[in-house]
Amino acid sequence: MLDVQNLSKSIDKKSILSELTFQVATGESLILLGENGSGKTLLINILATLVEPTSGTVSIFEMNAFSNLKQVRPHIGYIPVGFEGYPDLSVVDYLNFFASAYKLEKQERSAAIDTVLELMDIQHLRETLIGVLSNGERQRLLFAKTFLHEPMLWLLDEPLTPLDPRGQIEMLELLRELQAMGKTLVIATNRLEDAYKLCGIGTEVSPQTDYLGILKDGKFAVLNTIRQLQQEQIAKNESEDLKSNWLAELYLEVTKS
């Protein structure tokens, strides 16, 4: 579904991402973990076709993404880390705008908007101006907007960060549902506590084919299935059980200077 080969990106002659190669199949997830400046958000933006790489290729459904933008972009759902703009638009007007941009037929738009409002449980905000929404409500609106065109590849930058505890629980359940629907997820975070939660989203769906990639200085310090990484940590600790801080131990081990 998503195939990245030898991807590099330099800005002002400085290498930001270097020779990244990975694949994520339909229904699988890739969690990207790394500190600020490691290249996570830039990689998400490249996969979203918002930034062109310096070298290498990004293929979606076996199509070169940057050579086939019109064919590829309808398959992409991009959720940025923050929601800015449109403060004077109501929720329904915002969704109408994007439904039109996604070229939904006029007679289909009302039903589609009602569906995504119900799906994200924000029907009661239908006429509310975006400028007065809470962070959690804006996050739900972003998901509602993205659901309108039913993309197969979801790219999410820090999806848990703006949410309170209840919102995080609901978001994790939504991510599990997306994966159960066969969606491909690439999720970036720099928060270790969020990474622990995100590493469990595929437990009941595809535990052996969900991946964790730890980025350091624009390269993968580690890239493997979550199941395999957990088993390796169990073996290193000569224990039958996985330590609760297994990810912290792994992160410190692979990112040390």
Side-chain angles (χ1 to χ4, degrees):
M1 198 282 175
L2 173 64
D3 185 3
V4 176
Q5 296 291 324
N6 302 315
L7 185 147
S8 297
K9 178 64 179 179
S10 297
I11 298 176
D12 294 331
K13 298 183 179 181
K14 179 182 179 181
S15 176
I16 309 297
L17 298 172
S18 180
E19 297 293 319
L20 300 182
T21 293
F22 60 93
Q23 297 81 39
V24 192
T26 300
E28 295 180 350
S29 70
L30 168 61
I31 311 304
L32 297 171
L33 175 63
E35 61 189 19
N36 291 335
S38 61
K40 303 181 307 301
T41 294
L42 178 58
L43 177 55
I44 290 285
N45 286 337
I46 291 173
L47 299 181
T49 69
L50 301 176
V51 177
E52 194 164 353
T54 303
S55 61
T57 60
V58 176
S59 297
I60 297 173
F61 285 126
E62 300 184 351
M63 294 182 287
N64 184 297
F66 290 92
S67 300
N68 301 277
L69 289 175
K70 287 185 179 181
Q71 293 87 349
V72 163
R73 280 181 170 166
H75 297 299
I76 298 172
Y78 169 59
I79 308 289
V81 66
F83 186 113
E84 301 294 338
Y86 309 101
D88 298 323
L89 274 185
S90 68
V91 165
V92 69
D93 287 342
Y94 173 84
L95 293 174
N96 259 313
F97 172 80
F98 279 97
S100 175
Y102 293 146
K103 302 191 185 315
L104 270 68
E105 295 294 334
K106 195 168 185 178
Q107 59 270 28
E108 298 175 352
R109 290 178 199 167
S110 180
I113 289 170
D114 288 343
T115 297
V116 297
L117 286 171
E118 183 176 358
L119 182 66
M120 297 310 303
D121 194 24
I122 52 174
Q123 309 97 310
H124 59 293
L125 300 174
R126 185 184 184 92
E127 302 298 335
T128 304
L129 295 182
I130 290 173
V132 301
L133 295 180
S134 69
N135 286 335
E137 290 166 344
R138 293 184 185 200
Q139 188 82 334
R140 288 174 178 273
L141 179 56
L142 275 176
F143 269 80
K145 181 263 290 186
T146 306
F147 265 112
L148 282 171
H149 71 291
E150 299 183 358
M152 287 301 296
L153 173 62
W154 287 66
L155 306 170
L156 304 102
D157 196 1
E158 301 286 358
L160 302 181
T161 297
L163 303 177
D164 60 22
R166 177 176 293 277
Q168 290 187 28
I169 293 168
E170 293 172 349
M171 179 60 63
L172 290 166
E173 181 57 34
L174 175 59
L175 295 175
R176 290 188 189 97
E177 291 176 6
L178 284 173
Q179 204 168 2
M181 294 164 62
K183 309 297 186 183
T184 300
L185 311 179
V186 180
I187 309 173
T189 184
N190 63 3
R191 293 162 55 91
L192 196 59
E193 60 268 36
D194 289 354
Y196 276 108
K197 299 169 187 174
L198 293 166
C199 280
I201 62 173
T203 302
E204 298 177 1
V205 182
S206 53
Q208 299 185 52
T209 54
D210 287 338
Y211 294 85
L212 172 67
I214 297 178
L215 281 168
K216 178 178 171 58
D217 299 328
K219 299 179 181 180
F220 281 121
V222 68
L223 175 63
N224 208 332
T225 66
I226 294 167
R227 174 67 60 83
Q228 182 62 35
L229 292 171
Q230 290 175 335
Q231 290 175 341
E232 290 175 359
Q233 289 302 109
I234 290 173
K236 285 178 182 177
N237 292 317
E238 298 180 346
S239 169
E240 294 182 359
D241 299 315
L242 184 68
K243 285 187 175 182
S244 60
N245 67 335
W246 71 272
L247 184 52
E249 288 189 352
L250 173 63
Y251 186 85
L252 290 173
E253 176 187 345
V254 301
T255 60
K256 62 185 177 183
S257 300

